[in-house]
Amino acid sequence: MRFEVLAAILVAAGILYWVYRRDRRRFEAERAMLFDDLRGLLAESELSRTPMSYPVLRGRYRGHRVVIDAVLDNLSVRKVPSLWLRVTLLADIPFAGSCDILARAHNVEFYAPSNSFDHALPLPADWPQHLTIKCDVPDAVPPQSLLQAHIGLFEDERVKELLVTPKGVRLVRQAAQASRAEYLVLRQSLFGPVVVPRGGVQDLLDRALALADTLRSHNAAEAAS
């Protein structure tokens, strides 16, 4: 009898281990494919990834260094987890301060620096009213008149953040949302296979570059006047 119980336990353990290995392989494969559609989009591209994580893509876009990565947001138990796509364009921005514009902020956006910024700026009346603006040095951030033409980005409800720092521009947009049923019942952040579309990423890159050009052109015009 004891031998039969022991054998049953060993069989069950073997099955559980096989399931674990199978799910881990599937999980790894699903995460690794996130940027499969971006091949050839960046010059001098370099893709890196650590086990059980999403990849990070680095390279150059129209002469500028860029970093594309993803952030898993599953800290808030009241929200279905999201996978955020971050597109960062590195450029010398001629303003010493940093400005962070967030959509539908809940003060749990750990990936956004606005939580560490001490100053909230008034929201223009003609901007989407679900936005909040925070900065570190109010007198050293880009004027809202320069950002005005780029706020249309937030017409896409998936867009979460627009960040301007002296080192560049970052745009954040939702890449996927976890299965609501799986999360509500099992509290698991399951997204399934996600491949970010090339066109969407290129649009974010073009928007980030356009904003950087606006800020630098304004500074050059002021210097010349």
Side-chain angles (χ1 to χ4, degrees):
M1 185 65 179
R2 290 181 180 177
F3 175 79
E4 293 175 350
V5 172
L6 178 60
I9 292 174
L10 292 175
V11 169
I15 292 174
L16 289 175
Y17 180 72
W18 178 84
V19 170
Y20 164 77
R21 294 284 296 175
R22 181 201 63 186
D23 290 348
R24 182 185 174 91
R25 287 193 297 269
R26 183 187 65 196
F27 191 75
E28 284 274 11
E30 289 177 352
R31 291 202 165 191
M33 69 173 60
L34 185 67
F35 296 148
D36 278 3
D37 199 33
L38 305 186
R39 293 190 178 95
L41 178 61
L42 304 181
E44 303 174 20
S45 63
E46 177 185 341
L47 189 69
S48 60
R49 193 175 76 88
T50 57
M52 304 299 287
S53 67
Y54 287 101
V56 178
L57 179 62
R58 295 178 175 86
R60 289 188 174 273
Y61 183 76
R62 295 171 61 180
H64 292 273
R65 289 185 298 135
V66 300
V67 179
I68 304 172
D69 62 355
V71 177
L72 175 59
D73 179 6
N74 61 355
L75 293 184
S76 176
V77 297
R78 297 183 179 181
K79 294 194 311 175
V80 175
S82 287
L83 181 66
W84 299 107
L85 174 71
R86 299 194 302 186
V87 173
T88 304
L89 182 135
L90 301 173
D92 292 328
I93 303 299
F95 292 90
S98 296
C99 176
D100 196 18
I101 304 175
L102 276 177
R104 297 169 296 277
H106 297 287
N107 297 320
V108 293
E109 290 84 5
F110 63 91
Y111 48 85
S114 62
N115 289 333
S116 64
F117 290 167
D118 295 327
H119 305 280
L121 301 179
L123 187 68
D126 57 345
W127 286 23
Q129 294 304 295
H130 63 274
L131 302 181
T132 57
I133 312 172
K134 297 189 72 175
C135 68
D136 54 358
V137 185
D139 295 333
V141 297
Q144 293 175 354
S145 58
L146 292 182
L147 302 177
Q148 176 76 40
H150 304 273
I151 293 301
L153 170 76
F154 289 98
E155 293 177 1
D156 183 346
E157 294 184 353
R158 296 170 299 172
V159 173
K160 182 65 175 178
E161 181 184 22
L162 185 161
L163 172 67
V164 178
T165 78
K167 296 182 179 180
V169 175
R170 172 180 289 169
L171 302 179
V172 178
R173 185 171 69 185
Q174 187 183 58
Q177 188 176 61
S179 166
R180 180 176 296 273
E182 293 279 358
Y183 181 71
L184 293 178
V185 176
L186 302 176
R187 292 296 175 184
Q188 292 184 337
S189 303
L190 299 180
F191 297 94
V194 178
V195 178
V196 295
R198 182 189 185 94
V201 174
Q202 188 165 5
D203 177 65
L204 291 176
L205 287 168
D206 288 338
R207 288 178 180 271
L209 182 56
L211 176 53
D213 286 344
T214 295
L215 299 177
R216 290 183 298 180
S217 297
H218 172 78
N219 187 70
E222 282 199 339
S225 59

